[in-house]
Amino acid sequence: MWIEKLIDGVLELDTPIGPRYLQPSLVQRAFLLWTFRNFGSLPQAVLRPWERRMIDRLSSDNRFVSSSAPGLLDRPIIGKIERRPPQAQVEVIPMCKPASSSESTEPSREAASA
């Protein structure tokens, strides 16, 4: 099975518009086989920086395989990369202690000792 993936495997990329398939080179397929050796799919966040750059380079070089290409469904999938949209940054606001009403009604010690 891994020989078929090495020879003619494609990488599935999960996108907001649906799955897309990338055609890596032989060396890239070997690296990806090692990356996906224990998993069928991985989130993009767990990939090493050089692996993310390789995926981005494949995407920018338009190494996509047409979904209408003959025999695409017969090609083995090396693995699936889940691309999740970035989460909105949530700003954490520290809680302020409310002023206690007893502090404002007590006379200060300085005034009491005078």
Side-chain angles (χ1 to χ4, degrees):
M1 173 108 165
W2 61 272
I3 291 289
E4 291 87 16
K5 289 182 180 180
L6 183 64
I7 292 171
D8 201 29
V10 293
L11 181 65
E12 185 176 343
L13 191 63
D14 190 24
T15 65
I17 61 172
R20 309 268 320 257
Y21 299 94
L22 292 168
Q23 178 64 53
S25 68
L26 178 65
V27 174
Q28 291 168 335
R29 285 193 298 268
F31 280 122
L32 290 168
L33 276 172
W34 180 253
T35 301
F36 287 98
R37 68 190 178 277
N38 294 321
F39 304 98
S41 69
L42 291 170
Q44 188 176 12
V46 301
L47 296 177
R48 294 182 194 103
W50 66 269
E51 291 170 327
R52 281 188 235 142
R53 284 192 302 270
M54 180 177 64
I55 302 302
D56 291 339
R57 202 172 322 117
L58 283 169
S59 299
S60 66
D61 289 347
N62 253 350
R63 299 289 305 259
F64 290 103
V65 178
S66 173
S67 59
S68 62
L72 176 66
L73 298 176
D74 297 336
R75 296 177 89 173
I77 295 176
I78 297 169
K80 177 182 177 180
I81 295 181
E82 302 166 1
R83 282 194 167 182
R84 296 184 179 138
Q87 300 274 335
Q89 294 293 332
V90 177
E91 183 179 343
V92 177
I93 301 172
M95 291 182 54
C96 296
K97 290 184 179 179
S100 118
S101 59
S102 63
E103 291 177 2
S104 60
T105 59
E106 285 185 21
S108 67
R109 287 188 177 181
E110 293 173 6
S113 65

